Amino acid sequence: DTGVSQDPRHKITKRGQNVTFRCDPISEHNRLYWYRQTLGQGPEFLTYFQNEAQLEKSRLLSDRFSAERPKGSFSTLEIQRTEQGDSAMYLCASSKTGTDEQYFGPGTRLTVT
Amino acid sequence: RKEVEQDPGPFNVPEGATVAFNCTYSNSASQSFFWYRQDCRKEPKLLMSVYSSGNEDGRFTAQLNRASQYISLLIRDSKLSDSATYLCVVNGRGTSYGKLTFGQGTILTVHP
């Protein structure tokens, strides 16, 4: 059973550097979501895709953030010019169209020093 | 007012106890609701969807009160392995369908 996978699991970077994370959804799930979670809080929605189309973006997603899903399969989330406030767990989830349930990957923990 | 509010706890209960968590949501048009469980430093895992008629899965019972915009989760006969953070989750509507809004989470510790 292949669940949602994310890579890398941990990333430490210096302020000002760019980072890119990858998410592979469950096969045949055509919806893919990105969330961010900081300590002591629930996850916050960032953006989501149906196939390759990006359908909604949160106001949390500043212009330093960009997400892509070029072939409707895996997705990447890039953060440019990282700031200490970007330190968080970045979670990816997927679901099938027509179903509500989203399944989460293990997350990428980003630390900006 | 937060879109989804939960009592953060922590709840500390002995094994075998019954414990209930509550959650309120602000958007009366919301249609679908969930409880997720999250272990320390792990991803959230879907525990159960919440239906209008209420639903039960083993020791877990979820209830929805649309009039009061209130969701609950009851855990009976608590096990040590139930120790986790329980997240109340509301799905968006219309163009925001799929955008999950999470509560802060309620921490549960079950002790021997």
Side-chain angles (χ1 to χ4, degrees):
Chain A
D1 176 24
T2 305
V4 178
S5 61
Q6 293 187 245
D7 183 70
R9 297 289 303 277
H10 303 275
K11 179 71 178 178
I12 300 173
T13 192
K14 292 187 177 178
R15 191 174 52 191
Q17 298 294 304
N18 298 345
V19 294
T20 300
F21 309 143
R22 175 176 169 132
C23 171
D24 287 85
I26 294 170
S27 59
E28 299 177 358
H29 279 195
N30 50 3
R31 287 186 167 225
L32 185 149
Y33 311 82
W34 286 99
Y35 293 84
R36 181 172 71 185
Q37 186 175 24
T38 53
L39 199 63
Q41 302 298 317
E44 294 174 293
F45 172 82
L46 292 178
T47 188
Y48 88 95
F49 295 83
Q50 176 148 325
N51 300 313
E52 55 280 343
Q54 189 172 17
L55 296 187
E56 184 164 345
K57 291 170 64 172
S58 164
R59 287 171 297 180
L60 292 174
L61 216 64
S62 76
D63 55 8
R64 296 185 297 106
F65 288 70
S66 62
E68 293 183 344
R69 194 182 183 199
K71 297 182 181 178
S73 56
F74 72 91
S75 174
T76 57
L77 177 69
E78 181 183 17
I79 309 173
Q80 296 183 325
R81 305 181 303 282
T82 52
E83 301 173 356
Q84 286 189 317
D86 297 331
S87 295
M89 173 77 90
Y90 289 84
L91 292 159
C92 176
S94 70
S95 72
K96 279 187 186 179
T97 301
T99 66
D100 287 341
E101 290 84 7
Q102 296 182 22
Y103 297 90
F104 283 80
T108 294
R109 185 171 297 280
L110 173 66
T111 302
V112 181
T113 62
Chain B
R1 182 184 172 188
K2 289 184 181 178
E3 289 184 64
V4 181
E5 292 203 65
Q6 293 181 251
D7 178 350
F11 285 66
N12 293 293
V13 303
E15 274 185 290
T18 296
V19 61
F21 305 138
N22 304 318
C23 167
T24 57
Y25 60 95
S26 62
N27 186 348
S28 60
S30 299
Q31 288 293 317
S32 59
F33 311 89
F34 310 92
W35 284 99
Y36 276 75
R37 167 202 169 121
Q38 187 170 28
D39 293 295
C40 189
R41 302 182 79 82
K42 300 283 191 180
E43 74 272 23
K45 290 189 187 297
L46 179 64
L47 181 64
M48 56 199 307
S49 300
V50 186
Y51 304 121
S52 294
S53 54
N55 48 304
E56 187 174 310
D57 182 3
R59 298 181 294 108
F60 299 84
T61 301
Q63 297 279 351
L64 169 63
N65 183 323
R66 288 189 185 275
S68 303
Q69 293 176 217
Y70 172 96
I71 305 161
S72 65
L73 177 69
L74 183 77
I75 306 176
R76 290 181 299 279
D77 188 24
S78 300
K79 311 290 184 194
L80 296 176
S81 58
D82 293 334
S83 297
T85 297
Y86 290 83
L87 296 159
C88 176
V89 186
V90 177
N91 198 351
R93 285 211 67 191
T95 56
S96 292
Y97 176 79
K99 173 188 171 184
L100 298 183
T101 301
F102 287 76
Q104 180 183 3
T106 299
I107 298 170
L108 171 66
T109 301
V110 181
H111 58 82

